[in-house]
Amino acid sequence: MTRARKSALPPTERLHPRADDLDLLSVEAVVRRLHQEDLIALRAVREALPSITAAARAVAEALRAGGRLLYVGAGTSGRLGVLDASECPPTFGVPATRVQAAIAGGRRALTHAVEGAEDDVGAGARAVRAFRATARDVVCGISASASTPYVRGALDAARERGARTVLVCCNPPGPAMRADTVVLARTGPEVVAGSTRLKAGTATKLVLNAITTAAFVSLGHVYRGRMVDVRPTNVKLRARAVRMVAELTDLPPARAEALLEAAGDNVKLALAMHFTGLPAAQARRRLKDTGLRGLERPKARRTSS
């Protein structure tokens, strides 16, 4: 391939300058080289922090107004969107409807390559229509290449319906791929050319984590670094909930567990009951009015870092 044709390739498709000898290296050397590339992914995300912040603010505003975050992607990018969406309910205690995801090729594409699915512009548009996206929503297209037709169709349909749009990508998008906010993590060539499941995927996961976590923190779903809206649906989460109540109230574990039970296993409500000394119904109203920071006792305020 000529130098001109090589430069015409998008960065994530180009041959890495240090990859030619990859198949000659020991396993340890390959692992070390992959780790070096992961550090590039971190730096790429750091350079994108202003646009990540803008995306997180847009998502927070949409969620606060009753809207949703709707991910749309293909391949690795689509799977990462499904992963992030599926982890928001157990982490932040929100309904699964608040963050949803569509992947080119449907459910089968979560575990199998569905050939040609990402090339279907119309399918991306249909996914957005199936979401019934409105002006209250944010549609976030995820495409490492910044050229996936499925994602382009989704973003075009989202704009037609008045939704705000975000594009998370690792290549600069062309004029056909438009979004209100572009989060570009410039990860460059992969050590296995074109395999964006590597550092492009790592960067994308970091970006999605930051967008949803920052949005839900700003909406009050985290208190003093703890997931106080967690739903204690198994033994591990139950133990975590009791531990949070005990740590934040200075109560012994047995009393913390009793308080949690009185609050219907709602950590945030249990804390509000403790801070106010009120029964559940009244504490719930106070919590809604002021949030936990407004209810915490002076001692808790003095010990905050």
Side-chain angles (χ1 to χ4, degrees):
M1 183 179 292
T2 66
R3 181 174 298 179
R5 289 186 64 189
K6 286 181 180 178
S7 63
L9 290 172
T12 56
E13 291 294 322
R14 295 174 192 168
L15 183 65
H16 195 289
R18 296 181 61 224
D20 194 56
D21 66 342
L22 192 69
D23 55 311
L24 301 177
L25 300 179
S26 68
V27 170
E28 179 184 5
V30 172
V31 169
R32 288 185 178 277
R33 190 164 294 183
L34 288 169
H35 176 62
Q36 291 168 354
E37 294 300 302
D38 289 339
L39 298 179
I40 293 173
L42 288 170
R43 290 195 292 271
V45 171
R46 181 177 62 199
E47 293 300 317
L49 289 181
S51 56
I52 294 171
T53 300
R57 284 181 176 146
V59 170
E61 290 170 5
L63 294 170
R64 187 178 289 112
R68 301 164 295 169
L69 169 60
L70 306 171
Y71 285 131
V72 184
T76 297
S77 295
R79 294 182 193 103
L80 289 170
V82 172
L83 175 62
D84 196 64
S86 67
E87 290 181 340
C88 287
T91 303
F92 303 112
V94 296
T97 53
R98 303 306 303 281
V99 183
Q100 299 180 53
I103 182 171
R107 293 175 63 90
R108 177 174 169 76
L110 293 175
T111 55
H112 297 78
V114 179
E115 302 300 336
E118 69 177 57
D119 298 327
D120 192 338
V121 176
R126 289 192 295 275
V128 169
R129 289 196 291 270
F131 281 138
R132 298 188 178 183
T134 71
R136 293 198 302 177
D137 300 322
V138 172
V139 174
C140 179
I142 313 168
S143 171
S145 68
S147 62
T148 307
Y150 178 86
V151 173
R152 186 175 76 244
L155 292 176
D156 288 347
R159 280 196 307 278
E160 291 172 1
R161 301 175 77 89
R164 284 174 285 188
T165 54
V166 174
L167 172 64
V168 176
C169 55
C170 297
N171 289 331
M177 187 74 88
R178 293 177 293 155
D180 298 321
T181 301
V182 175
V183 179
L184 171 57
R186 296 177 181 268
T187 52
E190 304 283 2
V191 291
V192 178
S195 183
T196 52
R197 57 179 283 273
L198 299 176
K199 64 183 174 185
T202 298
T204 298
K205 177 69 165 62
L206 293 172
V207 169
L208 302 187
N209 281 353
I211 289 172
T212 48
T213 302
F216 281 114
V217 167
S218 73
L219 294 173
H221 291 279
V222 173
Y223 172 69
R224 294 188 175 276
R226 297 166 174 89
M227 52 174 77
V228 289
D229 277 322
V230 67
R231 297 172 182 171
T233 54
N234 60 38
V235 173
K236 180 187 73 174
L237 295 180
R238 175 76 183 179
R240 181 183 297 165
V242 172
R243 185 169 64 251
M244 283 191 285
V245 174
E247 290 172 349
L248 292 166
T249 61
D250 291 326
L251 291 173
R255 288 185 60 190
E257 186 164 14
L259 178 61
L260 184 63
E261 289 178 357
D265 288 341
N266 184 317
V267 173
K268 192 181 285 184
L269 180 57
L271 296 173
M273 292 167 65
H274 178 77
F275 292 156
T276 63
L278 296 171
Q282 293 172 268
R284 192 187 303 276
R285 287 193 290 271
R286 291 282 303 278
L287 176 63
K288 183 178 181 180
D289 290 340
T290 67
L292 284 174
R293 285 285 182 174
L295 296 179
E296 63 183 9
R297 294 175 179 178
K299 178 184 176 183
R301 293 194 184 99
R302 286 198 302 272
T303 57
S304 63
S305 56

